[in-house]
Amino acid sequence: AFLAVVTTGGMTSAARLLDMSQPSITRMIQDLEKTLGFQLIHRNGPRISITRKGMLFVREAENLLAAFQRAATRASDIQQDKSSSYAI
């Protein structure tokens, strides 16, 4: 949700992109901020901006998403019994 907000520039646009409700996106961002221990987004009514710490976290979030996508692809390959070696 965080990367969708960064990409689209808003909670409502991110909600549309992810086919979720805006309150769900807001809640996910708040939960992430609570987990991380710092604010990702400045909220000023309907306007938002990414905090400095939020901008620093973007790269980490992108890396996490890429790793998850690789793991999902690998899981699908395993499920389909595709034979390929996998280095650890």
Side-chain angles (χ1 to χ4, degrees):
F2 173 62
L3 289 176
V5 171
V6 171
T7 301
T8 64
M11 300 284 196
T12 302
S13 299
R16 277 194 293 268
L17 178 68
L18 298 175
D19 195 27
M20 299 176 74
S21 70
Q22 181 271 323
S24 294
I25 296 294
T26 299
R27 183 61 162 166
M28 291 174 77
I29 297 297
Q30 290 170 337
D31 289 347
L32 179 59
E33 288 174 329
K34 184 176 179 182
T35 298
L36 295 173
F38 57 85
Q39 190 176 8
L40 296 167
I41 295 171
H42 287 295
R43 295 156 184 87
N44 186 14
R47 309 194 93 203
I48 66 159
S49 61
I50 309 303
T51 65
R52 182 184 66 79
K53 290 180 180 181
M55 291 307 296
L56 293 171
F57 185 70
V58 167
R59 184 72 173 144
E60 296 305 318
E62 290 169 338
N63 289 340
L64 285 169
L65 181 58
F68 177 80
Q69 290 169 335
R70 283 191 305 274
T73 298
R74 182 65 181 139
S76 177
D77 290 348
I78 292 168
Q79 188 273 332
Q80 296 173 27
D81 291 324
K82 290 185 179 177
S83 60
S84 65
S85 62
Y86 186 72
I88 297 178

